[in-house]
Amino acid sequence: MKIVICDDENNYVEEIKYKVNDILASKNVKSEVDVYTDSEALYQNGEFYNMAFLDVEMTPFSGIEIAHKLKDINPYIIIFIITSYDKYLDDAMDLNVFRYINKPINFERLQQGVIKALESIDGRIITFFLKNGSTALNILSDDIVYIETVGRNTRVITTKGEFISENKIDFWKEKLVASFFYRVHKSFIINMKHISDYKRDTVGLLGIYSVPIAYRKQADFRRFFFDYFGGR
């Protein structure tokens, strides 16, 4: 999951980063967090993010302007607006932001918001195009068993059937950011919820499929596996 934090006050950036990393780690969510105190640098970078924490009163670009730019890149991004000024509430509501959090930050409320955001991501509907390029399908992320690279396309194995998508594996890496997805191999992403058995170098899914675990991923996946199921 890619996350960005932007506030022209460095102490807020560091506090939010620390707290968000702590929450995500407790939920076994792997994340990459970018931090900015320069709103122009973030506005110009063009990166894809899954979640953003934005101060409103910044120059030369406000948090509202940056939120619009981030939503152009990823319409499904979850936006947290953080500010001391209630006068921006209407603009934030028009953007359909996920939470509006006042300064000084109530970190208990921030934690509750991030957990709710993760639940929203977990239940997300994924839209993708079939190989023919003209047919779009909507599927629940929960229903995906695993994704596999097949030539220039990907095979999408779901509990409802199998599909060939025109999208490459990196498309799915960006979309499947819920806590129960793990990329076990450069060519495979699996849904932990559908694991039926696990060996050092392979993982079984639904008692039907067997997916290889890359050698360099084995130690990390073993830790992730026991952390994931240990909390359930």
Side-chain angles (χ1 to χ4, degrees):
M1 179 181 297
K2 287 201 70 174
I3 296 169
V4 64
I5 303 166
C6 187
D7 193 311
D8 54 10
E9 296 183 69
N10 188 64
N11 60 314
Y12 278 113
V13 168
E14 294 302 321
E15 286 178 1
I16 295 168
K17 179 181 178 181
Y18 176 82
K19 187 61 177 179
V20 169
N21 275 333
D22 188 53
I23 297 165
L24 296 180
S26 73
K27 298 296 181 181
N28 289 314
V29 177
K30 294 197 168 191
S31 62
E32 177 184 335
V33 181
D34 291 343
V35 296
Y36 289 85
T37 54
D38 179 352
S39 63
E40 183 173 11
L42 174 56
Y43 190 86
Q44 300 296 344
N45 83 354
E47 289 284 331
F48 180 104
Y49 292 104
N50 305 109
M51 193 181 298
F53 299 83
L54 307 172
D55 183 31
V56 171
E57 290 230 321
M58 297 184 291
T59 57
F61 295 99
S62 71
I64 299 297
E65 290 173 305
I66 292 172
H68 278 291
K69 181 72 176 289
L70 295 176
K71 276 184 168 285
D72 285 342
I73 299 169
N74 175 17
Y76 304 105
I77 187 172
I78 289 176
I79 302 282
F80 287 79
I81 291 293
I82 299 174
T83 184
S84 304
Y85 302 95
D86 289 339
K87 64 183 179 181
Y88 297 102
L89 181 58
D90 287 344
D91 290 333
M93 296 291 285
D94 290 342
L95 264 173
N96 195 30
V97 302
F98 194 80
R99 286 288 189 278
Y100 187 89
I101 297 176
N102 288 316
K103 291 181 178 177
I105 296 171
N106 180 323
F107 285 102
E108 182 177 348
R109 186 163 181 261
L110 178 66
Q111 178 173 340
Q112 292 170 353
V114 172
I115 291 172
K116 284 292 184 184
L118 293 176
E119 291 173 359
S120 174
I121 289 172
D122 284 358
R124 177 167 293 170
I125 293 175
I126 310 293
T127 302
F128 68 99
F129 281 91
L130 296 181
K131 187 178 177 181
N132 61 27
S134 61
T135 305
L137 287 183
N138 294 318
I139 55 175
L140 282 172
S141 60
D142 240 15
D143 291 336
I144 295 173
V145 180
Y146 73 94
I147 309 290
E148 173 187 10
T149 295
V150 179
R152 296 182 178 180
N153 306 114
T154 46
R155 185 161 67 123
V156 184
I157 310 299
T158 79
T159 57
K160 314 296 184 185
E162 300 183 10
F163 309 95
I164 298 296
S165 165
E166 67 172 14
N167 304 102
K168 293 182 170 52
I169 198 78
D170 284 343
F171 164 87
W172 294 102
K173 181 184 176 184
E174 288 185 344
K175 295 291 184 181
L176 303 179
V177 295
S179 58
F180 45 81
F181 286 104
Y182 192 95
R183 191 170 185 176
V184 294
H185 187 285
K186 67 179 181 179
S187 299
F188 291 90
I189 299 172
I190 67 166
N191 186 337
M192 301 290 290
K193 290 186 175 183
H194 298 302
I195 290 179
S196 52
D197 61 90
Y198 164 50
K199 298 178 182 177
R200 178 179 58 82
D201 57 357
T202 59
V203 60
L205 301 162
L206 296 181
I208 302 171
Y209 308 101
S210 181
V211 171
I213 304 171
Y215 177 78
R216 62 184 180 84
K217 294 273 191 176
Q218 289 172 11
D220 189 51
F221 179 71
R222 177 181 172 83
R223 287 190 293 270
F224 185 84
F225 177 89
F226 286 108
D227 285 345
Y228 180 86
F229 288 105
R232 285 158 175 76

